[in-house]
Amino acid sequence: MRKIGIITLALLLLASFTPAAEEGTRPKVGLVLSGGGARGIAHLGTLALIDSLNIPIDYIAGTSMGGIVGALYSIGYDAIEIEQIVRNLNWEAYFSDQPDRHLTPYQQRKDDGRFQMELKLDGWRPVPPTGLISGQKIRLLLSQFTYAYENVSHFDELPIPFRCVTVDLITGNEVVLESGSLSKAIRATMSIPTLFDPVEWGDSLLIDGGLLNNVPVNVVREMGADVVITCNVGRPSRTRDELNTMLEILEQSITIPEYNREAETLPLSDIVITPNLARLNPADFSAANIDAILREGFVAADSLRGELEDLVRLHGLAKPRSTFQAKQTPSRLFGIHFSGNTTLPFRYLYDLSGLTPGDTVDAARVEDRLRAMRTSEHIHSLRLDAEMISENEVVLRIHVKESSYPEIDGILIKGNESLPFSYIHEFLDIHHGDPFNPAVIEDHINQLYSLGVFETVHYEIDPIDENRLRLIIHVKEKPENRLRLGGRYDNYYNLIGHLGIVHENFLVPGLHLESSLQFAGRDEWDTRLLFPINFQGWMAFPYIHTQVMRETRPLYDFVDHIALYRDRRRFASAGVGVYPSRTMVLEAEVMWQTVDISSEFVYGGVTGWNDTFTRFNLFATVDNLDNVLVPELGERFEFRFATGLPLLEYQRFSFRGSWYRPQSAGRNICFSTRLGYSAGADTLLYDWFHAEGGRDFVGMDYFEMAWKRYFTLRMDYRIKLEPGLYVNLSYNAAPNMTLGRERLYPSDRVWIDGAGIGLLYDSFVGPIELTVGIGDAIWADAGFQTLTYFTAGYHF
């Protein structure tokens, strides 16, 4: 009797599942992807297993990084495509608000490497930022991936219905986003407090949903999921033995609500995949850490393959496969046919596919080639039909839907307060009737953002019909008043502080005032008032410039140390400058200058100077460097010319040039030169050219190599030991050539040289470099000298 009962129960259970599968009413499958920073990349192991088992996903809910991965999967990206995105992204660049330097106009480039921090000013009160990153680049990147679905009215209309979890910073409530801009929703769910700015969403300020619901199983259940697969990559709770430091205790305290919520939601899952990620840094997006996270993700998912296969068999979940997909052995490609293309020639599609009749192919290779084809900007989507014409021969029929960009029927700019529509539209350079090409739109937005007057610039689209749309540009202007903070250290000046204040629209719209103060090791006050004018494609700017400086400097005459003096100077100039291109500036000015120099130490009768004179100055700079602090590629040239007015017998010109080129991986070479020449008014000893430490001439002390004529050559070879850490080898020389009847330098040496080796660390406060140099002792009795240079911080 007991056996009959067991058999009856088994038949009832079988009947409860089998008819549903036969009638096509299988259970709905939900996928939950948790937050976890870089650890969220481990979700790809789960997605790859789901794809390999052909499990249909009906609903997706995600938080933070899980929201990003889940959104991409919901709109059609598979695990392999998302992995390619993850591996190819320059994460360091996207976690920065700095525009790409090749887009930055010179008026912004000139401030690179001068200040470590910029704060808003409310009156004269500094206001800390709401986050370290505004997310400008991240938002554009997300728009690039999701723009085709930006116009859906609800996330249920996506290929797979999707939800992402956020928290309203104002009310403290959990907010589940189910409609609106998809890219904005993803940006909101990843808004880690203090790291990213919160996202404005109606009356709410949204932040990372992981604070309240990091594993939103309840959300996907509420969407209608009968079966739930969860991947949890969140931080595991530390044991008592692991809570040994203040930071560990603080972190665990903050995340207690997260752990409590997980204890409620995780049991609602049918299968939970938990990669072993405790030793991997959630804030590290380096290639090595990503590789390790991916490995753990695949290992964890594969360890539950058997349970997932049982789930598929129990509920009849697997999507039907074609004969070609189900075939275990490769087939011979008998033919390949394309349809749907009207403007793309067959030869283009054939070459793009990388497939040739006669090739041996399987379903995995064909799908891989289709992924590659989808990356073409000319292809919107592809549909594959594979027909087995014999046991081992297959014909591929690929239907192509070509990309056709809708027309921009109108442009709306929102968020501008001080800057008029005409100003923004002129620099945006997008017009009514232009095709909506996302790559082009992003490039124009990047150029607008690079002007340095906006905190963020992004776009949304408002479809009018199938072929027309309205482009909405959202801008957030930088505050008109800003405070800049900087600092550096070196062997000579010791610590120098740097303060800067910027006033936009000072007194009248468009007038720009910037002031800076250096203090502690060196005193300097610099103020510049300018008015940019767009003149037939060139940016011109009349300006007024004042400067006051005070410092103590040694004076050498290339043979002897002749003085130590206090240098006080005041400058006032008026001129005009132009930016012929993004990388170049030309300036011409008339400058009035006073000099008050008194000696603290005198040798050879030099006591001091008190001069007042007027000069005419020309200045030109070309800057193509990819990075001003630790360049790898590009050039920088600087030319200056001055002559006394009214045409005094005094002229001075100088030239600096540097060429950076990458060599093999992790190695870089730089060639640089410096040339200076002055004539007349030889008593202006304080205006000589000089080497300012190891950055100018390794092997010489600060100001030791000084003369009215100057010519040096230098080569630096930099070797990367690991990200941010380098060894630098330097050699420089000053050939003492003959000019007319006299040598370039008043020295008997025909070749003055020096060499050095240094260790450089590119830190968040700027390069930190320790260099040991050896060079000719040009004014001491010894034949050579050894010097140590230490510098830290930005360059100014």
Side-chain angles (χ1 to χ4, degrees):
M1 192 72 184
R2 185 177 179 182
K3 288 184 178 179
I4 294 174
I6 292 173
I7 293 171
T8 302
L9 178 62
L11 290 173
L12 288 172
L13 289 172
L14 182 64
S16 67
F17 293 118
T18 305
E22 290 175 352
E23 297 170 9
T25 57
R26 60 166 179 77
K28 299 296 185 180
V29 181
L31 176 64
V32 178
L33 304 177
S34 79
R39 292 170 177 167
I41 295 169
H43 290 314
L44 298 180
T46 299
L47 297 185
L49 182 57
I50 288 171
D51 288 343
S52 69
L53 296 178
N54 222 28
I55 299 175
I57 299 298
D58 300 291
Y59 308 107
I60 299 176
T63 300
S64 196
M65 182 61 81
I68 299 174
V69 174
L72 293 177
Y73 195 74
S74 76
I75 61 177
Y77 291 88
D78 63 22
I80 295 176
E81 288 171 318
I82 300 174
E83 181 180 346
Q84 290 172 345
I85 291 170
V86 166
R87 290 187 182 278
N88 293 330
L89 277 183
N90 183 348
W91 290 94
E92 183 179 354
Y94 280 103
F95 287 146
S96 166
D97 291 326
Q98 291 296 320
D100 293 337
R101 203 164 190 270
H102 74 278
L103 293 175
T104 307
Y106 188 86
Q107 64 263 37
Q108 295 301 117
R109 294 180 186 227
K110 67 180 178 61
D111 290 328
D112 286 354
R114 299 184 65 210
F115 301 97
Q116 281 98 336
M117 182 183 296
E118 184 173 275
L119 301 174
K120 306 175 186 177
L121 283 177
D122 182 6
W124 291 100
R125 182 176 63 88
V127 180
T130 56
L132 296 177
I133 305 169
S134 70
Q136 168 68 22
K137 291 184 179 180
I138 288 287
R139 180 67 189 275
L140 284 181
L141 177 70
L142 296 174
S143 295
Q144 179 188 129
F145 293 136
T146 65
Y147 80 91
Y149 297 93
E150 285 292 291
N151 61 331
V152 298
S153 59
H154 200 280
F155 293 165
D156 284 347
E157 299 174 22
L158 300 175
I160 302 175
F162 171 71
R163 302 287 187 274
C164 65
V165 178
T166 66
V167 171
D168 185 352
L169 186 61
I170 298 173
T171 65
N173 296 328
E174 177 182 329
V175 177
V176 179
L177 299 180
E178 57 184 25
S179 62
S181 165
L182 182 58
S183 63
K184 187 176 180 180
I186 304 170
R187 169 63 182 83
T189 192
M190 62 175 289
S191 297
I192 301 172
T194 71
L195 180 60
F196 287 98
D197 285 351
V199 171
E200 295 182 11
W201 193 286
D203 295 330
S204 300
L205 282 178
L206 301 184
I207 57 175
D208 193 326
L211 295 174
L212 293 181
N213 195 358
N214 198 46
V215 192
V217 185
N218 61 309
V219 174
V220 85
R221 284 287 187 189
E222 292 167 4
M223 292 175 73
D226 303 304
V227 176
V228 177
I229 303 167
T230 296
C231 183
N232 184 15
V233 298
R235 293 167 293 193
S237 178
R238 290 186 173 93
T239 65
R240 179 172 181 173
D241 293 338
E242 293 172 327
L243 293 171
N244 299 314
T245 68
M246 180 179 67
L247 290 178
E248 290 169 347
I249 293 172
L250 178 62
E251 182 183 35
Q252 183 112 328
S253 302
I254 294 172
T255 53
I256 285 174
E258 178 184 322
Y259 300 142
N260 291 339
R261 189 64 183 273
E262 284 184 17
E264 297 174 8
T265 58
L266 276 176
L268 301 176
S269 306
D270 292 273
I271 288 182
V272 179
I273 299 171
T274 309
N276 182 15
L277 304 169
R279 62 184 176 81
L280 298 174
N281 188 346
D284 183 2
F285 286 84
S286 67
N289 200 50
I290 287 175
D291 286 341
I293 290 170
L294 284 170
R295 281 195 301 271
E296 293 297 337
F298 284 106
V299 167
D302 198 59
S303 69
L304 293 177
R305 177 181 290 271
E307 293 185 31
L308 267 175
E309 289 175 341
D310 291 343
L311 198 69
V312 170
R313 284 192 296 269
L314 179 64
H315 296 293
L317 295 181
K319 292 180 288 187
R321 294 175 180 265
S322 69
T323 305
F324 176 65
Q325 288 177 313
K327 195 169 181 289
Q328 299 296 314
T329 58
S331 304
R332 178 178 175 272
L333 180 58
F334 184 81
I336 180 169
H337 305 286
F338 292 98
S339 62
N341 52 309
T342 57
T343 61
L344 298 177
F346 169 79
R347 173 54 57 183
Y348 171 80
L349 296 171
Y350 182 80
D351 292 342
L352 195 63
S353 73
L355 298 171
T356 304
D359 288 351
T360 299
V361 298
D362 56 18
R365 184 188 172 193
V366 170
E367 183 57 38
D368 186 59
R369 295 313 310 159
L370 293 180
R371 289 189 193 97
M373 292 183 70
R374 291 188 196 107
T375 61
S376 169
E377 64 175 346
H378 302 296
I379 293 178
H380 179 272
S381 61
L382 299 167
R383 188 181 72 247
L384 171 68
D385 292 318
E387 178 186 358
M388 299 296 302
I389 60 174
S390 68
E391 184 177 349
N392 292 308
E393 291 183 309
V394 63
V395 172
L396 301 179
R397 294 183 172 86
I398 301 175
H399 181 79
V400 178
K401 183 178 180 181
E402 298 174 350
S403 293
S404 57
Y405 299 121
E407 179 182 294
I408 297 174
D409 192 67
I411 300 172
L412 182 64
I413 296 175
K414 292 185 175 181
N416 53 312
E417 298 177 357
S418 301
L419 298 172
F421 173 90
S422 58
Y423 175 91
I424 299 173
H425 185 255
E426 179 181 1
F427 283 101
L428 186 63
D429 197 25
I430 300 173
H431 305 282
H432 181 278
D434 287 350
F436 175 77
N437 182 331
V440 174
I441 298 297
E442 182 175 337
D443 182 61
H444 283 249
I445 285 179
N446 281 330
Q447 292 186 43
L448 179 65
Y449 177 70
S450 70
L451 294 175
V453 296
F454 300 104
E455 288 189 7
T456 57
V457 183
H458 62 268
Y459 71 89
E460 293 179 3
I461 58 175
D462 179 20
I464 298 174
D465 54 38
E466 184 177 352
N467 299 312
R468 295 180 302 149
L469 60 81
R470 185 178 294 107
L471 183 64
I472 305 171
I473 305 294
H474 293 271
V475 300
K476 183 178 181 182
E477 298 174 359
K478 284 187 176 181
E480 292 188 344
N481 300 325
R482 305 189 296 275
L483 173 67
R484 296 168 167 176
L485 305 173
R488 70 178 174 95
Y489 179 91
D490 62 40
N491 296 72
Y492 182 77
Y493 292 105
N494 297 319
L495 180 65
I496 302 179
H498 198 195
L499 294 177
I501 297 178
V502 175
H503 299 274
E504 302 285 359
N505 304 313
F506 179 69
L507 300 180
V508 297
L511 193 60
H512 177 90
L513 175 67
E514 56 185 41
S515 302
S516 67
L517 172 66
Q518 296 181 33
F519 57 92
R522 184 174 189 271
D523 296 330
E524 179 181 302
W525 173 260
D526 190 291
T527 301
R528 192 174 173 94
L529 183 68
L530 57 92
F531 189 81
I533 303 171
N534 193 349
F535 182 71
Q536 296 183 352
W538 284 34
M539 181 66 72
F541 55 97
Y543 66 87
I544 297 174
H545 182 202
T546 61
Q547 185 179 14
V548 178
M549 57 165 286
R550 181 178 60 193
E551 62 178 305
T552 300
R553 297 203 313 189
L555 182 63
Y556 299 85
D557 69 352
F558 219 90
V559 177
D560 296 307
H561 183 190
I562 61 174
L564 181 68
Y565 60 86
R566 289 191 299 270
D567 188 344
R568 296 178 179 85
R569 306 192 198 192
R570 294 186 296 274
F571 306 85
S573 59
V576 63
V578 294
Y579 299 119
S581 70
R582 292 180 177 272
T583 62
M584 185 177 184
V585 64
L586 303 172
E587 293 182 10
E589 67 178 17
V590 175
M591 183 182 74
W592 173 78
Q593 175 180 351
T594 65
V595 177
D596 180 10
I597 295 177
S598 58
S599 297
E600 292 186 353
F601 160 77
V602 179
Y603 173 79
V606 178
T607 57
W609 300 267
N610 284 280
D611 293 328
T612 300
F613 50 87
T614 306
R615 289 182 179 177
F616 173 73
N617 297 325
L618 287 176
F619 170 68
T621 295
V622 176
D623 183 351
N624 288 315
L625 298 180
D626 60 345
N627 184 311
V628 73
L629 294 174
V630 187
E632 293 186 1
L633 177 65
E635 305 85 29
R636 178 180 170 86
F637 309 119
E638 181 180 298
F639 171 81
R640 293 177 181 270
F641 173 78
T643 183
L645 291 176
L647 298 179
L648 299 177
E649 293 183 357
Y650 172 74
Q651 292 83 38
R652 186 181 194 270
F653 77 86
S654 64
F655 172 81
R656 286 177 180 262
S658 299
W659 297 259
Y660 290 86
R661 292 294 182 269
Q663 302 300 294
S664 56
R667 296 171 186 261
N668 187 271
I669 194 168
C670 172
F671 295 100
S672 56
T673 186
R674 185 177 172 193
L675 175 65
Y677 181 82
S678 60
D682 290 343
T683 57
L684 298 181
L685 303 184
Y686 54 83
D687 223 12
W688 284 354
F689 304 97
H690 57 263
E692 193 165 345
R695 285 178 176 168
D696 276 348
F697 200 100
V698 67
M700 296 296 169
D701 207 347
Y702 288 80
F703 302 99
E704 180 180 5
M705 189 173 178
W707 191 239
K708 59 185 177 182
R709 297 183 295 272
Y710 197 92
F711 177 45
T712 61
L713 299 168
R714 177 165 176 156
M715 182 184 75
D716 291 272
Y717 192 73
R718 194 171 64 222
I719 304 168
K720 180 185 288 187
L721 301 180
E722 58 181 68
L725 185 64
Y726 308 85
V727 167
N728 194 66
L729 306 174
S730 305
Y731 173 76
N732 43 214
N736 198 4
M737 302 179 295
T738 300
L739 294 177
R741 296 182 179 181
E742 58 181 8
R743 287 184 179 275
L744 188 61
Y745 303 114
S747 171
D748 293 334
R749 301 176 187 270
V750 293
W751 192 263
I752 303 164
D753 58 2
I757 181 170
L759 190 65
L760 184 150
Y761 175 59
D762 188 12
S763 75
F764 71 96
V765 296
I768 301 173
E769 187 170 12
L770 177 65
T771 301
V772 177
I774 184 171
D776 290 318
I778 56 177
W779 67 277
D781 294 333
F784 65 90
Q785 59 187 0
T786 301
L787 296 167
T788 300
Y789 311 93
F790 179 76
T791 59
Y794 278 17
H795 302 167
F796 51 83

